Amino acid sequence: MQLTVKLLIAALVVLLLSCSAQAKGCKDVSSDVCYELEPLLKSSSSQFDVLQQVLKVPENFNVQILYTQIDRNLDNKVKFSHYQFGLDESHYFYPASTAKLPLSILALQWLEQQNISGLNKDTTMLTKSSRPGQTAALTDSTAETLLPSVAQYIRKILLVSDNDAYNRLYELLGQEYINNQLQQKGLTNTVINHRLSLSLPEPEQRHYNAIEFVDTTNQPILSLEARSSDTRYSNPSRPTLGKAHMANDKHISAPMDFTDKNRFSIVDYNNVLKRILFPESFSSEQLFNISEQHRQFIIRYMGLAPSSSAFPAYDEAEYPDNYAKFLLVGGVAQPIPEHLRIFNKTGWAYGHAIDGAYIVDIENNIEFLLVAVIYANENDVLNDDTYQLNEIAKPFLRQLGQLIYQYELQRPRKVAPDLSHFKNLTE
């Protein structure tokens, strides 16, 4: 069986590499090389049972996949080749916690732009309550200092996808800064316009708490008054999802409106990953303006297992190594093999499960990017918490990652990548 799988994958290497016709979804992927992923997906063996089940009726699951091959030349410079399935940037899906990744990077950029002595990612950040519905954050029991900071919020976001941590960075930056910066960097199919797990009216999402940064003697370094945005950053297509939804414990027989919900498309997600992992491939205008130290900080915590962190500390029984890693290793709690590094950010909400990952095998010199979304909501009712995350979504994403990984093991490369940098990055 193993030999058969290897032979099949080897044959598909030739098939995919010889493909010359661009796929219909590739119009969304810019000028990079882009082809159909369907031949590889549809050839998967019976060991990928959930993957096969979903691919029989992908339209029922709103599947979108973007797989990026990475090849290097003798100078270690990269070339990207994309393979897509179901890619449609006009088709809205709820991005859930994946939107926390660009927000985290922008928070570090904002800090650097202030150029104030004593203000850095570890500076104490005190958030106050400025309006009804807002909450204060003056302490942080997970921090070594017991005080909140941008760095600690980012750690919690990337380790376990903490919603409150995201909200604090959202309140710091505000919609105008977030969305203008994303647009300027060419991430034009992303909108970030609300806090998470806080049911506030749309206008209240445009009001931001007063915030004060203080030094170790509690003296102010920077004070931000309560602020607001006049511009309403919404989804112009006014997307709706589902055939019905729950609101205030009532069943509403109509789709749920996502006009004022976050948006983070598959292509934009892929481009955020590439900008943070391969900055040399982009112009300065397209890049997040952060230091190399901050870039490495983001990458490190994207790859760390929750139990590897001391501050914040997490119980491995509650937060296993693969807690927030769906592609390749998702599902039942399990350790991640020592030769693998998975730098990612997942999201799951309203029946959607999304993962975007840079997967590295330091033993076999393999690296690739994979971003995918699946909608696992059999009754098509939103907000009823009756989704198939464990039955369908996680197995699908795990098997998708495994299929691509097996393919990468067989794929020929002219130059073996130097991945030694990642060996100790997550230890």
Side-chain angles (χ1 to χ4, degrees):
M1 175 63 74
Q2 193 69 21
L3 178 61
T4 301
V5 171
K6 286 185 176 181
L7 290 173
L8 178 59
I9 295 292
L12 283 163
V13 168
V14 176
L15 173 64
L16 291 184
L17 289 177
S18 64
C19 180
S20 59
Q22 282 219 343
K24 60 183 180 181
C26 287
K27 61 181 175 58
D28 298 316
V29 188
S30 76
S31 60
D32 290 331
V33 176
C34 180
Y35 305 118
E36 288 280 7
L37 183 57
E38 188 171 4
L40 177 57
L41 295 176
K42 293 248 173 130
S43 68
S44 60
S45 67
S46 58
Q47 71 181 107
F48 301 119
D49 55 336
V50 178
L51 180 65
Q52 290 184 336
Q53 175 188 341
V54 170
L55 292 177
K56 287 178 181 177
V57 283
E59 63 277 6
N60 290 355
F61 298 93
N62 295 337
V63 173
Q64 295 190 53
I65 303 169
L66 185 55
Y67 153 52
T68 304
Q69 291 178 1
I70 302 167
D71 291 290
R72 297 179 182 260
N73 62 21
L74 292 175
D75 295 327
N76 210 36
K77 292 183 179 179
V78 300
K79 174 192 173 186
F80 303 117
S81 298
H82 299 293
Y83 290 82
Q84 69 83 35
F85 179 85
L87 190 65
D88 184 353
E89 289 289 87
S90 68
H91 188 87
Y92 176 84
F93 63 88
Y94 183 66
S97 293
T98 60
K100 297 172 184 175
L101 177 59
L103 194 79
S104 297
I105 303 170
L106 284 174
L108 295 175
Q109 175 182 284
W110 182 90
L111 282 174
E112 292 189 31
Q113 289 174 336
Q114 304 315 300
N115 195 26
I116 297 175
S117 177
L119 181 65
N120 56 58
K121 71 181 191 304
D122 299 304
T123 303
T124 298
M125 172 181 159
L126 305 176
T127 302
K128 303 172 184 180
S129 176
S130 306
R131 296 170 66 89
Q134 294 183 357
T135 59
L138 306 178
T139 62
D140 187 340
S141 62
T142 73
E144 188 170 11
T145 62
L146 300 180
L147 294 169
S149 66
V150 168
Q152 192 68 359
Y153 287 140
I154 292 175
R155 291 185 187 103
K156 293 194 285 186
I157 283 171
L158 297 180
L159 288 168
V160 299
S161 202
D162 188 282
N163 283 345
D164 179 72
Y166 160 89
N167 291 344
R168 301 311 176 181
L169 298 186
Y170 171 91
E171 291 160 354
L172 170 66
L173 301 178
Q175 287 186 28
E176 188 170 356
Y177 179 85
I178 295 167
N179 291 288
N180 286 350
Q181 286 297 312
L182 293 172
Q183 288 284 323
Q184 289 175 21
K185 297 177 196 314
L187 303 167
T188 57
N189 211 1
T190 299
V191 176
I192 296 179
N193 56 21
H194 64 90
R195 298 166 176 83
L196 296 176
S197 298
L198 284 177
S199 298
L200 296 175
E202 185 279 325
E204 289 300 317
Q205 300 289 8
R206 289 187 274 122
H207 288 276
Y208 318 113
N209 309 44
I211 294 172
E212 188 169 49
F213 290 91
V214 300
D215 64 19
T216 54
T217 64
N218 210 36
Q219 294 301 304
I221 297 174
L222 174 64
S223 297
L224 303 176
E225 296 181 351
R227 296 141 290 136
S228 63
S229 298
D230 293 328
T231 302
R232 180 179 176 182
Y233 294 92
S234 59
N235 291 297
S237 63
R238 304 185 65 85
T240 60
L241 295 174
K243 67 180 183 182
H245 67 281
M246 299 294 294
N248 299 319
D249 295 324
K250 294 182 179 179
H251 181 93
I252 310 298
S253 297
M256 185 171 174
D257 185 3
F258 283 78
T259 299
D260 293 309
K261 295 290 188 181
N262 289 341
R263 184 186 193 103
F264 188 29
S265 75
I266 293 294
V267 171
D268 275 9
Y269 195 170
N270 175 272
N271 277 317
V272 167
L273 291 174
K274 287 191 294 189
R275 279 162 170 76
I276 200 70
L277 292 158
F278 308 102
E280 67 280 0
S281 298
F282 296 88
S283 68
S284 58
E285 292 80 13
Q286 295 172 309
L287 290 173
F288 296 97
N289 298 317
I290 60 175
S291 66
E292 179 62 17
Q293 181 185 30
H294 281 162
R295 189 177 76 88
Q296 293 297 330
F297 175 75
I298 289 286
I299 295 171
R300 170 175 166 77
Y301 279 93
M302 286 174 67
L304 273 183
S307 62
S308 300
S309 170
F311 298 99
Y314 296 104
D315 182 358
E316 190 171 1
E318 184 177 359
Y319 297 101
D321 288 2
N322 65 334
Y323 169 75
K325 298 189 183 297
F326 296 164
L327 291 165
L328 191 61
V329 296
V332 177
Q334 60 177 291
I336 297 173
E338 291 185 3
H339 62 287
L340 292 179
R341 303 290 186 272
I342 302 174
F343 304 91
N344 77 311
K345 182 69 196 77
T346 52
W348 57 97
Y350 297 121
H352 298 88
I354 315 101
D355 198 358
Y358 173 54
I359 297 175
V360 173
D361 182 334
I362 58 176
E363 186 177 284
N364 294 293
N365 291 322
I366 288 172
E367 58 176 339
F368 62 94
L369 290 167
L370 186 58
V371 184
V373 59
I374 180 173
Y375 176 67
N377 186 14
E378 187 175 5
N379 66 13
D380 208 22
V381 177
L382 280 83
N383 218 26
D384 66 349
D385 292 327
T386 306
Y387 309 122
Q388 291 73 53
L389 178 66
N390 295 317
E391 300 86 351
I392 298 292
K394 284 185 178 180
F396 169 82
L397 292 170
R398 179 181 69 249
Q399 292 178 13
L400 173 64
Q402 290 171 344
L403 176 66
I404 300 299
Y405 175 70
Q406 286 185 8
Y407 171 73
E408 283 280 332
L409 283 172
Q410 305 296 322
R411 187 172 75 85
R413 290 170 171 79
K414 292 181 179 180
V415 177
D418 179 7
L419 303 173
S420 56
H421 168 70
F422 296 103
K423 187 170 185 179
N424 302 316
L425 189 60
T426 56
E427 295 177 357

